[in-house]
Amino acid sequence: MTEDITVSPPEDPEKSLCFQGPWAWIILILLILGAIIFIMYLLRKCFQNPYYRKANRIDGKVVIITGCNTGIGKETALELAQRGAKIYMACRDSARCEAARLEIIQRTQNQQVYNRTLDLASLASVRQFAENFLAEEPRLDILINNAGLMATPRKLTADGFEQQFGVNHLGHFLLTNLLLERIKASAPSRIIVVSSAAHLLGRIYKNDINSEKSYSKFLGAYCQSKLANILFTRKLAEMLKDTKVTVNALHPGVVRTELTRYTNENSTCVWALIRAFVRLRLRDAKAGAQTTLCLALDPDLENKTGGYYEDCKPHFLPPWAKNKETAEWLWKESEKMVGLQPSDEISSVVVNP
């Protein structure tokens, strides 16, 4: 005897919803979109953290920040001004710097925020800035080498150096050395170098440091300059180990700033999809400034030097970023390139031991 099996017709999907007709599908789509937006919001919140939460002030401390009329540098200047620092905004575009300065004063009520012209693509401008600052200000507590270029078309600085290496490394190398005696005399003091995780892909091209034989705007020139930032940081930290001047580098995260303006030139569908995915991970400028602020402010880091930080914590460095021989070669080569004179160089005298 066989048993009859009745097969029910498939259920109408509309009947499985609370509503029937077109409105049922509209509500379902809206719920799905809402869930996606909520998940993306949570992911972005994760990527934005951590923030520097300590409330310590630095009233009266003198700070130089390069490239701070916008982005990470501006947020850094704003926060340090709120905490009582005397800020020297060292920027190439004086008009934009002035607009940012007035905004910072209005928001913080700190009148000690100053606009000073500095073009890191010109060694003459670097020397002029340093000369003016030393004549104007008797101390320097914090130097933040923040300015930078990324993935630009090949172009030369006023002195004939490849632009990214010239601005990101050589300009800051000369500036730091010219101000170093004032920094040492103000110890305990801090030097902070904004680098990038791109150093992981970087190499120092000893036979083509100026990218004359070949040029790759990101994997070549930019990554080399960011690796140079770290080698410079570690070499300088070693040279200053007994002076109570700390030197640390950092990766600010993947941040939505004007730094990425040259990466938007490719308009293919593939790049559009990649950029859309990357934007999920982009931090805003305030979030991107947090590790810089941590290195500038945290009392617990007063004696920590030669490190590389990300998300306010020490981070791993690959062997080529810790190579002392390469760092020594780069230092001497950089001295030659910027024309650093013996009178400009670091004194061997220990200050405030």
Side-chain angles (χ1 to χ4, degrees):
M1 179 178 178
T2 60
E3 185 177 336
D4 292 335
I5 300 176
T6 304
V7 179
S8 302
E11 185 178 3
D12 187 341
E14 290 188 3
K15 293 181 179 179
S16 66
L17 302 173
C18 296
F19 302 95
Q20 296 184 10
W23 282 107
W25 292 110
I26 292 173
I27 292 171
L28 180 61
I29 292 170
L30 289 175
L31 288 172
I32 293 172
L33 287 174
I36 292 172
I37 292 170
F38 181 68
I39 291 170
M40 292 179 69
Y41 168 79
L42 292 178
L43 288 172
R44 281 187 56 79
K45 291 296 287 184
C46 291
F47 290 128
Q48 297 288 354
N49 289 331
Y51 274 58
Y52 180 72
R53 305 290 184 183
K54 296 180 182 179
N56 58 298
R57 295 182 59 82
I58 52 170
D59 295 279
K61 298 288 187 181
V62 177
V63 182
I64 291 176
I65 309 172
T66 66
C68 57
N69 60 275
T70 188
I72 295 171
K74 181 180 176 183
E75 291 294 337
T76 301
L78 176 65
E79 182 65 26
L80 295 182
Q82 286 176 331
R83 293 172 184 256
K86 185 177 184 180
I87 308 290
Y88 284 84
M89 301 176 69
C91 303
R92 181 179 59 84
D93 190 324
S94 180
R96 295 183 68 189
C97 184
E98 182 62 14
R101 183 185 80 90
L102 293 175
E103 180 187 341
I104 290 171
I105 290 175
Q106 190 274 326
R107 293 175 63 180
T108 65
Q109 299 303 304
N110 182 344
Q111 301 297 318
Q112 296 191 100
V113 182
Y114 303 100
N115 174 359
R116 299 292 182 265
T117 300
L118 170 65
D119 183 358
L120 289 161
S122 165
L123 298 181
S125 176
V126 175
R127 289 184 176 277
Q128 187 63 58
F129 172 88
E131 181 181 339
N132 292 345
F133 177 84
L134 293 173
E136 179 179 9
E137 187 61 55
R139 63 182 301 110
L140 177 54
D141 300 280
I142 304 171
L143 171 62
I144 301 177
N145 292 332
N146 168 80
L149 297 170
M150 185 176 79
T152 64
R154 192 175 194 277
K155 185 178 178 181
L156 301 181
T157 68
D159 305 281
F161 304 122
E162 186 278 314
Q163 184 175 231
Q164 296 186 79
F165 187 74
V167 170
N168 297 352
H169 171 63
L170 290 177
H172 284 126
F173 175 86
L174 178 60
L175 176 68
T176 304
N177 275 283
L178 294 177
L179 298 175
L180 200 52
E181 288 305 315
R182 188 60 47 87
I183 297 171
K184 290 165 65 178
S186 306
S189 47
R190 307 185 186 198
I191 300 170
I192 298 159
V193 180
V194 178
S195 182
S196 167
H199 77 273
L200 293 167
L201 302 175
R203 297 295 184 274
I204 300 300
Y205 299 102
K206 294 183 179 181
N207 296 322
D208 192 23
I209 196 73
N210 209 32
S211 300
E212 295 171 321
K213 298 177 182 178
S214 64
Y215 182 73
S216 169
K217 63 183 183 180
F218 182 78
L219 291 176
Y222 179 69
C223 293
Q224 175 181 245
S225 73
K226 294 291 100 178
L227 177 58
N229 288 158
I230 292 175
L231 292 168
F232 164 64
T233 296
R234 292 178 60 81
K235 176 64 178 176
L236 184 58
E238 180 183 349
M239 298 170 76
L240 296 173
K241 62 184 178 181
D242 297 320
T243 64
K244 293 188 178 180
V245 178
T246 61
V247 193
N248 291 292
L250 68 106
H251 169 54
V254 184
V255 183
R256 185 185 295 106
T257 70
E258 292 185 4
L259 186 67
T260 61
R261 60 188 176 275
Y262 293 103
T263 65
N264 295 322
E265 295 174 352
N266 195 321
S267 60
T268 65
C269 292
V270 173
W271 276 103
L273 289 172
I274 291 173
R275 284 196 296 270
F277 175 75
V278 168
R279 283 193 187 100
L280 177 63
R281 297 199 61 205
L282 288 180
R283 299 176 176 182
D284 58 32
K286 184 174 182 178
Q290 296 307 307
T291 303
T292 301
L293 292 169
C294 179
L295 290 174
L297 293 166
D298 195 342
D300 293 340
L301 298 180
E302 187 170 296
N303 298 313
K304 303 292 185 181
T305 191
Y308 169 70
Y309 289 75
E310 183 177 341
D311 291 334
C312 299
K313 302 188 295 285
H315 208 265
F316 163 82
L317 280 174
W320 56 90
K322 298 187 289 185
N323 189 296
K324 291 186 176 182
E325 181 182 341
T326 304
E328 180 70 23
W329 180 90
L330 178 65
W331 186 280
K332 291 181 177 179
E333 192 67 19
S334 299
E335 284 181 326
K336 296 175 189 175
M337 295 175 84
V338 303
L340 198 63
Q341 301 299 318
S343 60
D344 298 326
E345 294 176 358
I346 302 172
S347 170
S348 59
V349 177
V350 175
V351 179
N352 293 335

